[in-house]
């Protein structure tokens, strides 16, 4: 069985030998990032202590970049993997006016976001990508 997260991710924002960071293509959630551990492991407890520090620091740096660039109202962190059991973290900038707020992004939508607002957030994505790469480089 092929695992889509074992494949190299196209256009990663950041990639090293252990993990990749990608921008998720979701029209309602510009800035939604995924941190994908390269090795096909299922659970956080499959990692060594040092690897857990590495991936959680990466998640934290992505969160800090989202806060600095997008000024989100809240950042949601989620590691689910029920559908694709390959360790990855969702780092999701949330806004009070987004499609699901205050519910999880996977719940039923409660509103249609303003297209101009989404476009303004989308325009910040190059800046967000640069901020993530800079944080993970240093
Ligand atoms: Zn995999």
């Amino acid at each position: 069985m092929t695992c889509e997260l074992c494949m190299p991710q196209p256009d990663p924002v950041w990639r090293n030998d252990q993990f990749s960071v990608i921008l998720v293509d979701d029209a309602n959630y510009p800035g939604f990032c995924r941190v994908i551990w390269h090795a096909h492991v299922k659970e956080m407890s499959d990692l060594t202590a040092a690897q857990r520090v590495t991936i959680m620091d990466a998640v934290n740096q992505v969160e800090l970049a989202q806060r600095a660039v997008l000024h989100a109202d809240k950042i949601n962190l989620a590691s689910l993997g029920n559908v694709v059991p390959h360790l990855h973290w969702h780092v999701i900038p949330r806004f009070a006016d987004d499609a699901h707020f205050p519910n999880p992004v996977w719940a039923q939508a409660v509103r249609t976001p303003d297209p101009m607002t989404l476009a303004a957030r989308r325009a910040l994505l190059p800046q967000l990508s640069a901020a993530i790469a800079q944080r993970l480089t240093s």
Side-chain angles (χ1 to χ4, degrees):
M1 201 177 104
T2 59
C3 167
E4 63 191 82
L5 294 187
C6 280
M7 318 276 196
Q9 302 298 309
D11 304 319
V13 172
W14 170 261
R15 181 187 166 85
N16 66 15
D17 58 345
Q18 288 184 295
F19 64 89
S20 293
V21 178
I22 63 159
L23 270 172
V24 176
D25 183 20
D26 185 324
N28 279 330
Y29 290 96
F32 184 160
C33 292
R34 205 168 279 146
V35 178
I36 303 166
W37 193 252
H38 289 165
H40 185 91
V41 298
K42 191 159 69 170
E43 309 291 357
M44 282 293 285
S45 53
D46 290 327
L47 300 180
T48 66
Q51 289 171 332
R52 277 194 295 278
V53 169
T54 297
I55 193 169
M56 291 320 297
D57 184 61
V59 168
N60 191 55
Q61 295 302 335
V62 171
E63 175 180 310
L64 286 168
Q66 288 175 341
R67 293 179 69 185
V69 175
L70 300 174
H71 307 289
D73 295 318
K74 184 70 184 78
I75 307 294
N76 287 174
L77 302 181
S79 180
L80 304 172
N82 300 333
V83 179
V84 182
H86 175 136
L87 182 61
H88 60 282
W89 281 86
H90 304 280
V91 188
I92 314 166
R94 299 298 309 276
F95 296 89
D97 61 2
D98 74 35
H100 301 83
F101 203 88
N103 301 318
V105 298
W106 296 282
Q108 190 82 38
V110 293
R111 69 183 66 80
T112 302
D114 173 43
M116 298 295 284
T117 301
L118 288 176
R121 287 175 193 152
R122 204 168 296 116
L124 294 171
L125 295 185
Q127 198 181 327
L128 176 65
S129 296
I132 291 169
Q134 185 183 19
R135 286 183 164 278
L136 290 173
T137 302
S138 52

